[in-house]
Structures are given as C-alpha cells and as structure tokens.
C-alpha cells in the first residue's frame, strides 16, 4: 500500500486515507506522523482504521522473499489500481480462497470457467482485465522460476539472515527479479507528501515484469509492491515502524 496514484490509465482513488485529517482529537505532528491512543506514531493512513493499522503494524514493509508471498502482493497491488487499499485488504481473505492461496501453478491453470466464476464472486473485485492479468502473471511467474537475476545495485544492503535463496537475497524467479531492483538507498520521508510513488528501480521492475509477460505492473504498482515487501522503506522517519524491516534505518 502506498499513498499513490493508479497505474495503467485508471483513475486515481477518490479519497486517500493519507490525505484525511486525523480523527478523535489526535494531532498530526510536524514530522507528519499521528500519535495514537497507544502512544505509537504512524502515518495518517494507518492511524485511524483498525484494519489498516493492524496491517501497518504487523505486515507492511517487512521483507517478503518467497514466491507465493510476492505473487500475492503483485496480484493485490494490481487489483488496487483505481481503488483504495482498504477495499482490497478487506477482501484479501476471499482473494486467498479463490486464487488457491496464491499458488502460482494453480492460478496459471485457470481457464474460462474459473474466470467466469471469479467474475460472479462478490467477495472479490470483479474486474475481468484484472482477473485475466492475475492469471497471466501466474503463468509468467511459473515461467521465470529457473531464471537468475543480477541486482541493479550489488552494494544494496540485502535483508540479512531472513532470506530464502542464495546469499543475502533471492537470486532466482519472481523473488530474484523483485529483489534485484532493491535501490542502493531508501527514501527518508518526514511527511506523506515526501513519499515517492515511483523510482528508477520501480520503472525498471515494471519493464522487466512486462517483458516476462506480466500485466497491470506499471511503475506505481511496482513501487507499492516494493514498499509492501520491504524492498524499500518509506515509513515516515517519526513512525514507530521505521527500520522495522531490519534492512534500512
């Protein structure tokens, strides 16, 4: 999730929690964070809604290095295009059910019958282009498993001992491709307005994913994926979660 605009020509979200004022008398500090009743500082988008707060506190920005986890985030970030992340997150349990736990082999085998069943399922976002893109992306993920990727910035910090794969970062398949685009340095935003929505690396990742057959993978969607998976750290400097990935300070 990111306070970003949509990719692929779709409209930007009608409203973004990051732009909403804090509720319940809580005050936004000069650094841009909001201190909640628990005394923890968070960005405005994660300060109010319990579902978003839990996601921010326990998942967002932690290193994801396995194929299934990254495929899930790739698909869900694509479904977010033109919508709010809150909408997608609320439907995530059903997404996991109907997309076979985001097992790429299973989704790659989906055909017309599965597409029609998904379009009839009110528990997910019923968009034919996005559903078909998820299937195409699964096939692309399966196809790249044996491919090895060289990091754009070999001196970037990696993720220490938490990796699945060779050395200090994944080297093959979707994990290898995503983490090959880790930047040499991460943003250090003090306010939501300072958080970028794209980067040179996210543009390169979008090109690489498209070259492998992926769809709905514009630079903004790719940057949001990189944020969610810990490839970059865009936690505000005043947030209690800044540096939680163990990769970036």
């Amino acid at each position: 999730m990111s306070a970003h605009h949509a990719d692929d020509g779709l409209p930007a979200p009608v409203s973004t929690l990051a732009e909403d004022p804090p509720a319940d008398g809580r005050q936004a500090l000069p650094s841009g964070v909001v201190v909640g009743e628990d005394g923890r500082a968070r960005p405005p988008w994660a300060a109010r809604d319990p579902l978003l707060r839990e996601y921010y506190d326990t998942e967002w920005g932690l290193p994801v290095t396995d194929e299934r986890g990254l495929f899930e985030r790739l698909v869900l970030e694509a479904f977010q295009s033109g919508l709010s992340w809150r909408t997608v997150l609320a439907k995530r349990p059903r997404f996991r059910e109907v997309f076979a736990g985001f097992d790429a082999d299973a989704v790659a085998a989906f055909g017309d019958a599965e597409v029609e069943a998904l379009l009839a399922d009110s528990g997910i976002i019923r968009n034919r282009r996005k559903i078909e893109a998820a299937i195409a992306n699964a096939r692309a993920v399966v196809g790249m498993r044996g491919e090895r990727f060289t990091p754009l910035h070999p001196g970037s910090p990696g993720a220490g001992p938490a990796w699945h794969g060779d050395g200090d970062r994944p080297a093959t398949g979707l994990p290898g491709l995503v983490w090959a685009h880790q930047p040499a340095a991460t943003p250090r935003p003090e306010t939501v307005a300072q958080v970028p929505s794209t980067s040179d690396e996210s543009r390169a990742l979008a090109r690489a994913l498209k070259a492998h057959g992926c769809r709905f993978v514009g630079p903004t969607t790719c940057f949001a994926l990189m944020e969610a998976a810990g490839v970059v750290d865009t936690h505000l400097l005043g947030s209690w979660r800044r540096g939680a990935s163990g990769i970036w300070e």
Side-chain angles (χ1 to χ4, degrees):
M1 187 277 175
S2 175
H4 56 61
H5 301 293
D7 276 327
D8 300 296
L10 293 174
V14 173
S15 65
T16 304
L17 285 175
E19 297 171 353
D20 291 342
D24 304 324
R26 290 171 290 181
Q27 297 297 312
L29 300 181
S31 66
V33 297
V34 176
V35 177
E37 295 175 355
D38 58 1
R40 289 176 168 173
R42 302 176 179 87
W45 69 262
R48 183 173 62 187
D49 183 275
L51 183 62
L52 287 171
R53 185 169 58 244
E54 175 71 12
Y55 172 69
Y56 180 80
D57 285 355
T58 62
E59 293 185 55
W60 190 69
L62 292 180
V64 179
T65 61
D66 64 295
E67 180 187 278
R68 188 185 296 255
L70 285 169
F71 177 55
E72 173 181 311
R73 285 156 180 80
L74 179 67
V75 170
L76 295 183
E77 291 291 351
F79 269 96
Q80 188 209 343
S81 293
L83 303 170
S84 73
W85 179 247
R86 174 65 171 79
T87 298
V88 176
L89 192 60
K91 293 177 178 290
R92 184 171 65 171
R94 183 58 181 164
F95 268 108
R96 287 173 169 171
E97 291 179 12
V98 299
F99 279 96
F102 290 100
D103 177 86
D105 289 299
V107 178
F110 283 8
D112 292 343
E114 287 81 7
V115 170
E116 294 306 316
L118 290 168
L119 286 169
D121 195 318
S122 61
I124 66 167
I125 295 162
R126 294 178 288 182
N127 181 298
R128 182 180 292 274
R129 287 179 62 215
K130 293 178 180 179
I131 290 169
E132 291 176 346
I135 298 169
N137 292 353
R139 294 169 182 168
V141 168
V142 172
M144 70 176 76
R145 279 184 183 150
E147 191 168 349
R148 180 173 291 270
F149 298 95
T150 301
L152 296 180
H153 305 285
S156 56
W163 285 121
H164 301 278
D166 299 331
D168 67 348
R169 75 184 75 215
T172 60
L174 179 64
L177 177 58
V178 171
W179 282 93
H181 291 80
Q182 185 183 22
T186 197
R188 296 182 59 80
E190 294 184 354
T191 66
V192 171
Q194 294 174 0
V195 178
S197 60
T198 63
S199 66
D200 290 343
E201 290 80 13
S202 78
R203 286 185 282 273
L205 177 57
R207 290 192 297 269
L209 287 168
K210 289 177 181 178
H212 282 81
C214 290
R215 307 179 194 170
F216 269 91
V217 286
T220 305
T221 292
C222 285
F223 192 80
L225 169 66
M226 293 164 71
E227 290 178 290
V231 180
V232 296
D233 186 346
T234 59
H235 288 289
L236 301 185
L237 292 181
S239 169
W240 84 278
R241 294 289 288 169
R242 180 72 191 185
S245 69
I247 304 173
W248 308 103
E249 295 182 358

